[in-house]
């Protein structure tokens, strides 16, 4: 599988605090990778470094064969890196469809009719068509999460970076999100997914990475990683 | 890819009708000097200038999320540029617009520096900028410090002609800026600005070029405020730096936008009309008028933070001047 997005030797420090320490990470075209690890392991920081919200202190981020370390989040999105946020960040003053049109015109670079087609497609895929004209501030948690997904999708990403999109949902709601994410994946979009709800992850991913204290401590076939003694010790909390 | 029979629209019959009504009202306003006396023309000139100020402060704060208490920097510079150009022999009415354009050019390096500041730093930083340019303008021998000067070139027109020309210039400026903003907001800048208003980081994460959009809004606002200042000096003729570079102008703008509805297109226009009405009714009462304005702004900030139009829009789902999209 050709490598699409990678971090090589990435370190991130805020003053004296080392958040990421020599992280190597890669996702191939169309591949789905899960990331697990205890709170504070550096998962979201890694995602932010990949998406361009943070600049790494050392190391490089490569995407589609070129180095993107110096590009900001907006430029990376325009190149095909879509993301969702752990706490959904909809554009509250806009309706659902306006949220999507914004993503399609800016991140997707589409104009006119094409932007509308992309927005309607993201709307339908996320099951939000009946909510299209609702102001985002009136949406509940599940719908805000669906909007995060739909909005990222409207930017026409090649890689989708998901940050704990399953948290705080009922089993039924989680299953609904999983089926949307599987559909996105079926279109050939690569996925990097941070999640604590492991059974959701296992329905989608090819490979699992476990992080602890700013480092990658395991990387491989999901069941093998979950059975790894180091992972059990660091993450599952049972020795 | 899109099997749904639904499609995305921007116009409703109501919004078509209201845009037509606004155009009609603007055309009627053109005839005002032919029908009404000096007092009405002068008051409406003031209203147009307030309208410009409200629109411009809202474009910055309501859409760019940039709260400035230093827009009087551009207001004063606009007046100053008009005086300088007229003094150099430039025809006086074109000088009003050209001066504003020069101020916008000068605002470009200012934008590069100031837009690195966030929130309160930006707000206060702009005030510092305003005080700084005030002092610089005072150093000009033509201005003679706080003594000030006059837009003498205007004396070549007789009073009635000057009143009409200034009114038409103010009306045309307000209409041009409002329609210009309307079309900008319906384009890419509109979705970018509304996204930044709602959440800057999320905006960047969907590909919105945040800095570039803010810079455009900053320059637009500088141009508009400068034009308002130039028009103001055309109505009063005299230019005293401390009047023009007074923070009171920013206070007026904040009042109009907060009361009308920040971040909505229609709100600031409503706010300007309200402010104008209050000033016309109570302006002569001096200090109590100022206290009343302050108390009203405070009450709106606490009880109706979306402003009048924001509340109406939310309650009734109204969009008279559509800058958004809906599905049907």
């Amino acid at each position: 599988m050709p490598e699409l997005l990678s971090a090589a030797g990435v370190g991130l420090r805020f003053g004296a605090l080392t958040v990421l320490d020599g992280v190597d990470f890669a996702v191939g075209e169309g591949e789905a990778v899960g990331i697990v690890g205890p709170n504070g392991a550096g998962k979201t920081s890694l995602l932010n470094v990949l998406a361009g919200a943070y600049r790494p202190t050392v190391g490089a981020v490569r995407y589609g064969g070129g180095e993107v370390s110096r590009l900001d989040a907006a430029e990376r999105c325009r190149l095909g890196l879509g993301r969702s946020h752990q706490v959904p960040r909809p554009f509250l003053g806009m309706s659902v469809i306006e949220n999507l049109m914004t993503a399609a015109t800016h991140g997707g670079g589409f104009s006119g009719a094409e932007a509308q087609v992309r927005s309607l497609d993201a709307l339908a895929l996320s099951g939000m068509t009946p909510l299209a004209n609702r102001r985002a501030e009136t949406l509940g948690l599940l719908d805000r999460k669906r909007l995060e997904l739909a909005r990222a999708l409207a930017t026409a990403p090649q890689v989708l970076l998901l940050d704990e999109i399953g948290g705080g949902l009922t089993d039924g709601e989680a299953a609904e999100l999983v089926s949307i994410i599987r559909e996105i994946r079926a279109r050939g979009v690569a996925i990097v997914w941070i999640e604590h709800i492991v059974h959701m992850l296992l329905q989608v991913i090819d490979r699992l990475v476990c992080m602890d204290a700013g480092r990658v401590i395991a990387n491989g076939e999901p069941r093998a990683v979950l059975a790894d003694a180091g992972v059990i010790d660091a993450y599952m909390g049972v020795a | 890819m899109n099997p749904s029979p639904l499609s995305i629209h921007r116009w409703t019959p109501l919004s078509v009708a209201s845009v037509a009504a606004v155009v009609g009202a603007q055309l009627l306003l053109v005839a005002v000097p032919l029908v009404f006396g000096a007092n009405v023309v002068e008051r409406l000139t003031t209203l147009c200038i307030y309208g410009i100020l409200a629109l411009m402060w809202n474009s910055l704060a309501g859409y760019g999320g940039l709260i400035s208490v230093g827009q009087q920097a551009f207001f004063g510079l606009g007046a100053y540029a008009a005086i300088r150009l007229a003094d150099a022999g430039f025809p006086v009415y074109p000088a009003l617009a050209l001066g504003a354009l020069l101020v916008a050019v000068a605002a470009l390096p200012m934008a590069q520096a100031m837009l690195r500041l966030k929130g309160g730093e930006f707000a206060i930083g702009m005030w510092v900028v305003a005080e700084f340019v005030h002092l610089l303008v005072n150093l000009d021998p033509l201005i003679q410090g706080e003594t000030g000067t006059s837009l003498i070139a205007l004396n070549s027109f007789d009073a009635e002609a000057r009143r009409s020309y200034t009114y038409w210039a103010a009306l045309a400026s307000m209409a041009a800026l409002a329609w210009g903003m309307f079309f900008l907001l319906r384009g890419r800048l509109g979705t970018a600005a509304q996204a930044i208003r709602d959440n800057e980081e999320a905006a960047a994460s969907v590909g919105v070029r945040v800095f570039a959009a803010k810079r455009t809004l900053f320059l637009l606002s500088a141009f508009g405020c400068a034009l308002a200042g130039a028009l103001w000096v055309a109505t009063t003729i005299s230019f005293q730096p401390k009047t023009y570079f007074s923070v009171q102008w920013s206070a007026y703008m904040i009042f109009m936008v907060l009361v009308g509805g920040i971040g909505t297109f229609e709100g600031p226009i409503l706010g300007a009309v309200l402010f104008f009405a209050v000033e016309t009714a109570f302006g002569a009462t001096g200090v109590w008028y100022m206290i009343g304005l302050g108390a009203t702004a405070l009450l709106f900030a606490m009880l109706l933070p979306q402003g009048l139009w924001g509340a109406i829009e939310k309650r009734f789902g109204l969009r008279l001047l559509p800058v958004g999209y809906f599905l049907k």
Side-chain angles (χ1 to χ4, degrees):
Chain A
M1 201 178 296
E3 195 175 282
L4 183 58
L5 173 68
S6 67
V10 160
L12 181 68
R13 278 190 294 278
F14 296 113
L17 184 69
T18 299
V19 180
L20 295 175
D21 185 10
V23 171
D24 294 311
F25 176 86
V27 58
E29 280 174 21
E31 191 188 17
V33 181
I35 303 178
V36 294
N39 288 331
K43 307 182 295 293
T44 296
S45 295
L46 175 60
L47 203 79
N48 280 329
V49 166
L50 293 172
Y54 295 160
R55 296 252 166 97
T57 317
V58 291
V61 179
R62 291 194 187 81
Y63 172 69
E67 180 160 352
V68 295
S69 307
R70 304 208 52 84
L71 296 182
D72 66 20
E75 300 309 320
R76 289 194 212 181
C77 174
R78 286 165 181 245
L79 287 176
L81 286 173
R83 74 167 296 176
S84 75
H85 299 90
Q86 189 171 356
V87 176
R89 293 179 180 176
F91 303 129
L92 293 172
M94 296 190 202
S95 68
V96 168
I97 192 69
E98 287 168 348
N99 269 266
L100 303 184
M101 283 295 284
T102 303
T105 22
H106 293 276
F110 303 114
S111 53
E114 181 68 8
Q116 301 197 2
V117 169
R118 296 288 180 156
S119 301
L120 288 171
D121 172 60
L123 192 70
L125 181 78
S126 59
M128 297 193 84
T129 306
L131 301 173
N133 296 326
R134 282 267 296 274
R135 269 167 87 100
E137 66 183 347
T138 66
L139 299 177
L141 181 65
L142 173 65
D143 289 328
R144 287 184 185 211
K145 294 201 169 206
R146 289 202 290 191
L147 180 55
E148 284 280 313
L149 272 179
R151 199 174 60 181
L153 189 65
T155 66
Q158 283 187 283
V159 185
L160 188 55
L161 307 168
L162 303 174
D163 193 357
E164 288 193 36
I165 195 135
L169 300 180
T170 66
D171 285 351
E173 291 170 340
E176 206 174 315
L177 278 187
V178 165
S179 75
I180 297 170
I181 295 165
R182 287 173 70 107
E183 174 67 29
I184 293 171
R185 192 175 170 211
R187 296 178 171 195
V189 178
I191 287 170
V192 177
W193 186 1
I194 296 174
E195 192 57 76
H196 282 302
I197 306 168
V198 176
H199 71 86
M200 276 181 90
L201 271 184
L202 293 178
Q203 296 174 59
V204 177
I205 59 171
D206 308 306
R207 185 156 62 82
L208 186 62
V209 166
C210 182
M211 293 181 69
D212 185 33
R215 294 165 167 278
V216 170
I217 59 166
N219 176 7
E221 199 281 316
R223 308 232 171 243
V225 168
L226 290 172
D228 181 281
V231 171
I232 291 170
D233 185 38
Y235 182 48
M236 313 302 250
V238 263
Chain B
M1 205 167 180
N2 170 27
S4 100
L6 297 164
S7 56
I8 296 173
H9 302 268
R10 312 197 80 171
W11 294 95
T12 62
L14 178 66
S15 64
V16 172
S18 55
V19 166
V22 170
V23 172
Q26 283 173 346
L27 289 176
L28 281 179
L29 282 171
V30 172
V32 162
L34 309 177
V35 183
F36 293 95
N39 189 39
V40 173
V41 174
E42 274 171 13
R43 292 304 296 153
L44 286 180
T45 306
T46 304
L47 174 60
C48 289
I49 297 172
Y50 287 167
I52 294 172
L53 290 174
L55 280 169
M56 291 302 108
W57 198 80
N58 185 50
S59 76
L60 204 56
Y63 289 103
L66 293 160
I67 309 283
S68 165
V69 287
Q71 292 310 92
Q72 64 274 18
F74 305 116
F75 187 81
L77 279 177
Y80 171 69
I83 283 169
R84 262 288 166 199
L85 286 170
D87 186 64
F90 209 82
V92 64
Y93 279 102
L96 304 180
L98 180 65
L101 209 56
L102 292 177
V103 172
V105 171
L108 183 60
M110 226 184 265
Q112 296 297 121
M114 298 310 291
L115 292 177
R116 296 182 193 287
L117 304 179
K118 304 263 178 221
E121 292 174 0
F122 174 80
I124 300 302
M126 286 303 298
W127 195 350
V128 173
V129 165
E131 291 299 312
F132 180 66
V133 285
H134 177 187
L135 292 175
L136 286 183
V137 167
N138 277 3
L139 292 177
D140 185 338
L142 180 70
I143 306 301
Q144 302 173 60
E146 290 302 345
T147 313
T149 184
S150 300
L151 194 51
I152 307 154
L154 275 176
N155 290 329
S156 63
F157 296 89
D158 84 90
E160 198 184 328
R162 193 180 69 219
R163 197 156 41 233
S164 300
Y165 292 157
T166 304
Y167 168 74
W168 282 322
L171 179 64
S173 301
M174 183 186 74
L177 283 168
W179 288 116
M181 234 186 102
F182 180 63
F183 286 107
L184 270 179
L185 288 178
R186 282 171 60 84
R188 273 170 191 265
L189 180 68
T191 46
Q194 293 174 74
I196 294 169
R197 170 196 68 190
D198 288 348
N199 192 317
E200 198 171 313
E201 281 170 61
S205 83
V206 298
V208 172
R209 290 182 171 134
V210 174
F211 190 86
K214 283 183 171 182
R215 188 174 51 201
T216 305
L217 293 168
F218 188 91
L219 296 183
L220 173 74
S221 186
F223 174 76
C225 290
L227 193 56
L231 289 163
W232 196 262
V233 81
T235 63
T236 63
I237 302 189
S238 75
F239 176 76
Q240 283 178 300
K242 75 169 176 222
T243 317
Y244 282 77
F245 289 103
S246 162
V247 72
Q248 135 201 333
W249 294 105
S250 281
Y252 288 171
M253 293 182 226
I254 294 169
F255 178 88
M256 292 186 279
V257 174
L258 278 190
V259 170
I262 189 165
T264 65
F265 186 77
E266 298 89 340
I269 303 170
L270 184 63
V273 172
L274 276 172
F275 175 67
F276 172 77
V278 170
E279 191 196 51
T280 306
F282 304 107
T285 61
V287 74
W288 284 105
Y289 160 66
M290 298 305 285
I291 292 171
L293 278 186
T296 311
L298 205 64
L299 282 175
F300 267 92
M302 290 192 309
L303 302 176
L304 207 60
Q306 328 91 315
L308 282 175
W309 190 260
I312 292 170
E313 194 180 78
K314 207 170 162 184
R315 176 77 179 75
F316 300 103
L318 270 187
R319 286 199 182 175
L320 297 186
L321 303 171
V323 295
Y325 300 89
F326 66 94
L327 193 72
K328 196 172 74 177

